[in-house]
Amino acid sequence: MALPRVLVLVLAGGAGGRLELLTERRAKPAVPFAGVYRLIDFPLSNCQHAQLSDVWVSVQFHPTSLSQHLANGRPWDLDRTTGGLLVLPPYQGTERAGWVSGTANSLWRYSPLIRDFDAEALVVVSSDAVYELDYREVVDGHLDSGAEVTMVTTEVAADDAARYGIVEVGEGDRIRDYAYKPDEPRTTTATNEVFVFSPDPTLDRLEALAAEHGEDGLEDLGSHLLPAQTSDGLARAHPLTGYWRDVGTVDAYWAAHQDFRSPEPPLDLDHPRWPVHTRGGRHSAARVLRGAEVEDSLVSGGTRVAGRVIGSVLSPGVVVEEGAVVVDSVLLPGVRVRAGATVTRTVLDDRVDVGEGASVGGEGEVTLVGREATVAAGSELRAGARFPDPDDDEA
């Protein structure tokens, strides 16, 4: 029996403003994670393991940073003569051309291409979360259900639920209520930005909504489309019971790294059944020098540690000099922490240089230092600081 024809659309075009300095010069899906990965590696690896080989990636902000990583799709077996990886940038020349103003608006702009592809199921995913999921299993359940949309759901903390689309699930996994980022969530069951749509009825509905609200008024999928499908009784839930973490804020990004440097991480990123693949350069082995102390940390290839590293994640090319101390922090590629400096509860972006004897961060809110910044020797950045200060750039 032939497998159903499935198209995957990865929405990778958002500005990612909640990640602040981390997305100032890179696309959100290109943000590094766990040393050697990028956020987009998780949905693309899910596609590979589900044997879904027609994958379109919609890009918008800082597209070069993402295109360099995607290359031709080879790490995820998407470098094919027919099908495979297709990158969709903003374009001019048709009535659907222009800048995308939301996830539903993006779907509307690509709808002629989607119709031409003639898929039986359309999988729409974001790329700012860390998880493993068999998209094929979700597709099969959707096609058997008669629903117009299947929303993958997960449980979130009550004090965080207002950031998500929140659902109430009834008998037979039917969704009986959907609220987009409600002020007072009625449940803690959230959609995790993985959807399977029946293409033609969904796109027909989207055309009607565009006529009613205007193309820019479509906004996000949760603004009009998903509520309409829910109110017509055509939405169902597919619960994800395993690990899922939205890393779209600085605090969540830092916390997810703490999950993965634990003795028993929530996902085995090298599991032979479901490894997460990435496009990475070749790095030499990590060097831990005499007198160095490394505890409860992830240390990538190409790093050199002569100081003390505790509860942290070191990306390729990081150097921690003798006498330097790094605690509960995430250091992205090429960071150098010089002798006598201390870094605590901090995210340091690419090629940050922390000068000798400097003090960065502390107990309290997570500190963030932007790409290629230099923290002067002997200076102090308090806990929760942002450096360079974004307000200085706006002045």
Side-chain angles (χ1 to χ4, degrees):
M1 183 177 177
L3 292 174
R5 186 168 169 81
V6 179
L7 174 64
V8 181
L9 177 60
V10 181
L11 299 177
R18 295 181 301 154
L19 281 173
E20 304 178 38
L21 295 171
L22 293 176
T23 50
E24 191 173 57
R25 287 191 279 172
R26 66 162 70 86
K28 179 168 60 173
V31 170
F33 184 80
V36 299
Y37 302 99
R38 304 295 179 112
L39 294 183
I40 199 169
D41 294 337
F42 291 90
L44 293 184
S45 294
N46 288 335
C47 289
Q48 180 183 11
H49 296 307
Q51 297 183 324
L52 300 178
S53 58
D54 290 290
V55 180
W56 297 357
V57 178
S58 170
V59 301
Q60 189 156 271
F61 292 91
H62 304 298
T64 302
S65 63
L66 189 57
S67 295
Q68 287 175 337
H69 180 70
L70 294 175
N72 58 0
R74 179 168 295 176
W76 310 278
D77 196 26
L78 294 174
D79 54 333
R80 296 164 178 258
T81 302
T82 302
L85 179 69
L86 176 64
V87 177
L88 302 171
Y91 64 95
Q92 296 290 338
T94 75
E95 62 178 9
R96 305 258 167 151
W99 197 252
V100 169
S101 59
T103 52
N105 176 266
S106 178
L107 195 59
W108 176 83
R109 291 185 187 279
Y110 297 126
S111 61
L113 296 175
I114 295 169
R115 288 189 193 273
D116 287 344
F117 186 86
D118 195 25
E120 295 172 62
L122 171 66
V123 181
V124 177
V125 304
S126 67
S127 45
D128 55 1
V130 175
Y131 65 102
E132 292 177 359
L133 177 62
D134 187 341
Y135 296 155
R136 175 73 65 180
E137 180 182 321
V138 186
V139 167
D140 290 344
H142 174 80
L143 294 175
D144 290 340
S145 72
E148 190 173 304
V149 61
T150 293
M151 309 182 200
V152 178
T153 62
T154 192
E155 294 299 317
V156 297
D159 61 358
D160 200 34
R163 291 204 298 120
Y164 303 100
I166 297 297
V167 299
E168 293 182 40
V169 182
E171 214 173 310
D173 288 328
R174 291 286 165 176
I175 297 176
R176 59 175 183 245
D177 185 69
Y178 174 91
Y180 187 51
K181 299 182 178 180
D183 292 334
E184 297 183 3
R186 295 168 60 177
T187 75
T188 56
T189 304
T191 59
N192 66 4
E193 303 303 309
V194 177
F195 307 99
V196 179
F197 293 102
S198 298
D200 285 340
T202 296
L203 297 178
D204 290 345
R205 186 185 295 271
L206 203 57
E207 294 295 339
L209 290 170
E212 180 181 352
H213 300 283
E215 61 186 66
D216 290 334
L218 290 172
E219 300 175 341
D220 290 329
L221 295 171
S223 302
H224 303 292
L225 179 63
L226 298 178
Q229 292 171 318
T230 300
S231 65
D232 285 350
L234 295 173
R236 67 180 284 270
H238 179 103
L240 172 61
T241 56
Y243 180 85
W244 178 86
R245 175 150 336 227
D246 172 10
V247 293
T249 68
V250 173
D251 286 345
Y253 179 78
W254 177 87
H257 279 89
Q258 299 308 302
D259 293 342
F260 278 87
R261 61 89 183 162
S262 66
E264 295 293 335
L267 298 175
D268 181 355
L269 303 182
D270 292 311
H271 195 289
R273 183 189 63 83
W274 205 278
V276 176
H277 292 132
T278 188
R279 177 182 181 268
R282 295 183 177 179
H283 300 284
S284 61
R287 297 177 62 204
V288 179
L289 304 181
R290 186 185 301 274
E293 180 182 348
V294 179
E295 179 181 321
D296 288 341
S297 297
L298 299 181
V299 181
S300 303
T303 55
R304 180 162 60 88
V305 181
R308 188 180 184 202
V309 177
I310 299 174
S312 297
V313 178
L314 308 189
S315 301
V318 165
V319 175
V320 179
E321 294 185 357
E322 185 176 358
V325 179
V326 176
V327 179
D328 294 342
S329 295
V330 181
L331 278 54
L332 299 190
V335 164
R336 190 177 194 104
V337 182
R338 297 188 181 271
T342 61
V343 177
T344 307
R345 288 178 65 86
T346 295
V347 178
L348 301 180
D349 205 343
D350 290 4
R351 297 183 294 283
V352 166
D353 191 317
V354 179
E356 291 187 10
S359 174
V360 179
E363 295 303 319
E365 295 182 7
V366 175
T367 306
L368 175 61
V369 180
R371 179 184 290 195
E372 297 179 346
T374 297
V375 180
S379 63
E380 180 179 358
L381 288 179
R382 59 177 174 74
R386 300 293 187 262
F387 179 77
D389 189 334
D391 292 336
D392 292 344
D393 295 336
E394 295 172 3

